[in-house]
Amino acid sequence: MRKPFRFKQFEILQDKTAMKVGTDGVLLGAWTCYENVKSVLDIGTGTGLISLMIAQRNSSATILSLEIEKNAFDQALENFENSIWKKRLEIKNTALQDFKTKKKFDLIISNPPFYTTTFKNEDEKRALARHSESLPYSVLLKNCAELLSENGICSFIIPYSEETNFIKIAKNYKLYPKRITQVKGNKKTPLKRSLLEFSFQELKIEISELIIEIERHKYTEDYINIVKDFYLKM
């Protein structure tokens, strides 16, 4: 029997793909701004989690998702078809590098692959999904700049250790940080992730910190406020 991961307004089947529902994807989908957004591009959608989260938060936007790995593509398509927002969701089985369109998007969102070690995971599907060689930051950001509407934003979650380099690469394509939230597991652990929002406008950057847990399975109020519309037990 297939057991989905249940959220408040949708379910995620994840038995066909190596990439399961995780904190990174949920955080990005919940943190990202969606006001004044009519068109969304989700790069590397995996199970379709982030696209479904944006569909829940924005009642009118059309969302196009890209997924290179065939099993993940099939899984996301199934998850979209099972959702109440299926008419606003579309998915293509393609790499970003091969995606061609004249359309511009108000929001581009991606939880990009980020393993930088030379040792790929034994599970090739997981390696393809997470290993940064499959989508280098420079390729990701160049394409985002070409596909983003004039007043649009793009949002990412990356390792905190990559933040400075990522911002530097983005600047090459005239994408400037607008909002940054640096994430740590608890008060005593080092910063682990960076949530980044970019636009074509150079503005004063809004920087904040998010701590996920007070102690094991006891979550901070800030974290609960971000994800409570999605997780069943929040």
Side-chain angles (χ1 to χ4, degrees):
M1 183 176 170
R2 303 171 75 192
K3 190 176 180 181
F5 192 110
R6 289 187 170 88
F7 290 91
K8 286 182 176 174
Q9 294 191 39
F10 60 90
E11 296 181 346
I12 295 288
L13 288 163
Q14 50 185 351
D15 55 304
K16 294 178 184 174
T17 174
M19 293 316 302
K20 309 302 183 188
V21 170
T23 303
D24 285 4
V26 175
L27 263 181
L28 181 61
W31 177 86
T32 294
C33 285
Y34 62 91
E35 291 87 357
N36 304 316
V37 167
K38 290 186 170 55
S39 56
V40 181
L41 179 66
D42 177 11
I43 299 168
T45 196
T47 59
L49 168 66
I50 292 171
S51 289
L52 286 161
M53 292 180 73
I54 297 299
Q56 176 182 321
R57 297 177 70 204
N58 184 314
S59 61
S60 59
T62 56
I63 301 160
L64 174 61
S65 307
L66 307 182
E67 178 51 56
I68 187 174
E69 206 275 306
K70 183 62 167 62
N71 287 334
F73 164 80
D74 289 341
Q75 191 102 76
L77 179 60
E78 185 177 15
N79 288 329
F80 290 173
E81 285 297 313
N82 290 338
S83 81
I84 59 174
W85 310 292
K86 62 183 179 182
K87 290 182 180 177
R88 296 193 284 120
L89 293 158
E90 182 185 357
I91 185 168
K92 294 184 182 295
N93 184 199
T94 185
L96 174 63
Q97 297 93 318
D98 300 324
F99 175 59
K100 299 288 183 281
T101 183
K102 292 181 179 179
K103 184 175 181 177
K104 301 286 186 180
F105 297 88
D106 301 322
L107 169 62
I108 300 176
I109 191 166
S110 183
N111 176 9
F114 54 66
Y115 282 151
T116 53
T117 174
T118 55
F119 299 98
K120 290 190 175 80
N121 192 290
E122 288 179 10
D123 185 325
E124 283 303 310
K125 287 186 289 187
R126 187 176 178 88
L128 179 64
R130 303 314 294 171
H131 202 283
S132 54
E133 287 177 9
S134 65
L135 185 61
Y137 289 155
S138 57
V139 173
L140 172 63
L141 289 162
K142 178 179 183 289
N143 281 272
C144 284
E146 291 171 357
L147 293 165
L148 191 65
S149 64
E150 184 180 355
N151 296 310
I153 58 169
C154 44
S155 296
F156 311 93
I157 187 166
I158 61 168
Y160 170 73
S161 60
E162 302 278 338
E163 180 187 297
T164 302
N165 181 48
F166 195 89
I167 291 170
K168 184 178 178 183
I169 295 169
K171 196 173 285 188
N172 293 334
Y173 304 106
K174 295 182 169 54
L175 289 169
Y176 303 100
K178 182 177 179 182
R179 196 163 57 106
I180 299 173
T181 297
Q182 297 161 337
V183 184
K184 55 168 64 179
N186 61 60
K187 195 158 65 171
K188 295 179 180 177
T189 56
L191 290 166
K192 185 181 180 184
R193 296 281 184 265
S194 290
L195 290 153
L196 304 169
E197 178 182 289
F198 292 85
S199 73
F200 289 123
Q201 288 79 42
E202 280 194 85
L203 305 166
K204 184 178 179 182
I205 307 169
E206 179 188 323
I207 301 176
S208 61
E209 185 177 282
L210 175 65
I211 299 170
I212 293 175
E213 291 182 319
I214 300 167
E215 56 190 54
R216 191 72 178 143
H217 300 308
K218 186 177 180 183
Y219 300 104
T220 64
E221 191 175 338
D222 287 344
Y223 178 69
I224 291 170
N225 285 337
I226 290 174
V227 302
K228 66 183 178 183
D229 289 343
F230 302 98
Y231 282 127
L232 287 174
K233 295 180 181 179
M234 293 258 179

